[in-house]
Amino acid sequence: MEKKDIDWANLGFGYMKTDKRFVANFKDGAWDDGQLISDDTVTISECACVLQYAQTCFEGMKAYTTEDGRIVIFRPDLNAQRMEDSCKRLEMPVFPKEQFVDAVVQTVKANAAYVPPFGSGATLYIRPYMFGSNAVIGVKPADEYQFRVFTTPVGPYFKGGAKPIVIRVSDFDRAAPHGTGHIKAGLNYAMSLHAIVDAHEKGFSENMYLDAGTRTKVEETGGANFIFITKDGKVVTPKSDSILPSITRRSILYVAEHYLGLEVEEREVFFDEVKDFAECGLCGTAAVISPVGKIDDHGKEICFPSGMDEMGPVTKKLYDTLTGIQMGHLEAPEGWIKEVVID
Ligand code: PLP
Ligand code: COI
């Protein structure tokens, strides 16, 4: 299979149309088998529930080319489970987990020419999503849904790749207590758009959201969870019911403990203690592990000892181990890697 002629090394995190996408429809209480199609457009009612009441959720994962040329996907079963959780909270029908993984594999296989080569610094981002498609004018869930999967080759989420970024403490809230912060609902991202545009205008790469109830505890950013490293080398990550349970973060905690022998703590993290950490990073599928060098709290700066030039040493070890597993040159824990066999 010949790869597309793409300048892989200079890709940003953007959308590029690829050849095929998977589409399945839910009607009369059941999903059809779904199929790969070429049309990248969607035609739905002007009154579709997704357009009026934002009934939509999505997932994000990546496919990688390993050093020996295989194509692998990182933990798609966990994305399938999280999408099930999102669907249940949004009164949407569940797309069965096995079929979810199969649809993802089919879509990657059909777009194998777009999976960036090993060592290029790019990956194939996979975006499954679902939305209520029939007309709904009273506030209620749709009866008909579409589940789709598309792919797009991507580079680093933050410009500069592994260079430390500067973020700010946001005055906006991301998720209410008992709200939808723990699921991957489109509405969580719609309400973060003003905050991210404002942050970018002021020169910050992301927003640090605090808990909406007390504004004393660290939650997450618009698109990633936090990890902190203490001065004695422990990995600490915020525990909260209103943050997205990041698959990257869960994998990092496992790797820290079982591959690197580090102590890990998942607990409430008060903003007051952030100044005492040695390193800080954002973790997620898109972000991988992006080091944070500085946090701006309304003009007061928290500067991590790891500085603005490179990742801190513990963050780097975590990054190398996690990406080593994803790219196939470190042995993965059982069940973490799904190979896409190209025939
Ligand atoms: N938090 C938010 C709000 C996100 O959008 C994402 C991205 O998926 C994450 C965290 C990271 O989750 P994951 O590691 O599963 O990609
Ligand atoms: C991901 O990391 O997959 C995400 O969904 C983050 C997104 C905001 C780009």
Side-chain angles (χ1 to χ4, degrees):
M1 173 257 318
E2 206 174 308
K3 293 284 177 192
K4 296 284 171 181
D5 182 19
I6 292 170
D7 184 8
W8 308 105
N10 290 308
L11 283 175
F13 195 86
Y15 172 76
M16 178 188 293
K17 182 179 154 186
T18 54
D19 293 343
K20 298 283 179 188
R21 63 277 303 125
F22 179 89
V23 183
N25 288 290
F26 182 89
K27 201 174 174 178
D28 301 325
W31 287 105
D32 66 18
D33 291 340
Q35 58 175 326
L36 289 169
I37 61 164
S38 299
D39 187 1
D40 61 320
T41 63
V42 177
T43 304
I44 48 175
S45 163
E46 62 185 355
C47 198
C49 197
V50 59
L51 298 180
Q52 305 308 323
Y53 303 127
Q55 195 187 21
T56 177
C57 61
F58 69 99
E59 271 305 325
M61 76 204 92
K62 282 176 174 171
Y64 309 82
T65 305
T66 63
E67 204 161 1
D68 57 0
R70 291 174 303 126
I71 294 177
V72 296
I73 309 172
F74 188 66
R75 311 190 79 178
D77 53 322
L78 297 191
N79 295 92
Q81 179 60 56
R82 193 168 62 189
M83 189 149 191
E84 178 172 329
D85 299 340
S86 297
C87 287
K88 286 180 173 162
R89 179 64 176 78
L90 295 172
E91 291 294 335
M92 301 168 80
V94 168
F95 194 74
K97 283 198 280 277
E98 247 172 61
Q99 279 158 256
F100 176 105
V101 173
D102 184 55
V104 164
V105 168
Q106 279 190 52
T107 314
V108 171
K109 199 169 169 174
N111 295 296
Y114 293 90
V115 183
F118 176 79
S120 65
T123 50
L124 188 75
Y125 186 73
I126 307 162
R127 174 55 64 87
Y129 60 114
M130 192 193 293
F131 52 88
S133 53
N134 67 299
V136 163
I137 194 72
V139 179
K140 64 172 185 135
D143 305 304
E144 295 175 13
Y145 294 84
Q146 214 167 81
F147 168 79
R148 302 177 72 107
V149 185
F150 70 76
T151 59
T152 179
V154 295
Y157 191 65
F158 295 107
K159 278 191 214 95
K163 275 267 172 215
I165 55 171
V166 183
I167 64 173
R168 67 149 186 207
V169 177
S170 175
D171 285 329
F172 300 100
D173 293 324
R174 173 182 177 276
H178 314 293
T180 55
H182 62 300
I183 59 162
K184 217 161 162 55
L187 61 92
N188 293 339
Y189 299 82
M191 60 176 286
S192 75
L193 295 177
H194 176 61
I196 195 65
V197 168
D198 188 60
H200 286 164
E201 274 171 12
K202 296 187 165 81
F204 303 108
S205 296
E206 253 292 5
N207 287 296
M208 169 186 262
Y209 291 103
L210 302 180
D211 73 296
T214 70
R215 291 264 177 92
T216 59
K217 287 174 271 184
V218 176
E219 293 259 290
E220 60 175 329
T221 66
N225 282 180
F226 278 103
I227 50 165
F228 298 101
I229 312 297
T230 63
K231 289 189 175 133
D232 58 355
K234 228 185 271 172
V235 183
V236 177
T237 188
K239 189 179 172 75
S240 160
D241 290 341
S242 45
I243 66 176
L244 193 77
S246 158
I247 293 162
T248 314
R249 185 247 300 161
R250 285 181 268 162
S251 305
I252 289 169
L253 291 193
Y254 183 90
V255 159
E257 206 174 343
H258 296 93
Y259 282 60
L260 300 173
L262 301 173
E263 225 178 294
V264 303
E265 273 179 16
E266 192 181 353
R267 60 165 171 84
E268 288 187 333
V269 174
F270 286 88
F271 181 66
D272 277 353
E273 57 180 310
V274 169
K275 62 181 187 326
D276 300 322
F277 290 122
E279 300 172 37
C280 172
L282 305 184
C283 60
T285 297
V288 193
I289 305 180
S290 299
V292 175
K294 206 191 283 185
I295 301 176
D296 183 291
D297 175 23
H298 304 89
K300 223 167 72 193
E301 289 185 343
I302 296 173
C303 299
F304 293 102
S306 49
M308 288 304 299
D309 291 330
E310 51 191 35
M311 271 190 201
V314 179
T315 306
K316 176 88 170 83
K317 266 194 220 165
L318 291 169
Y319 179 92
D320 287 345
T321 314
L322 177 73
T323 53
I325 291 169
Q326 291 169 331
M327 308 275 176
H329 44 268
L330 287 179
E331 194 173 336
E334 177 83 30
W336 279 26
I337 298 296
K338 177 87 188 163
E339 185 167 347
V340 178
V341 182
I342 311 291
D343 29 49

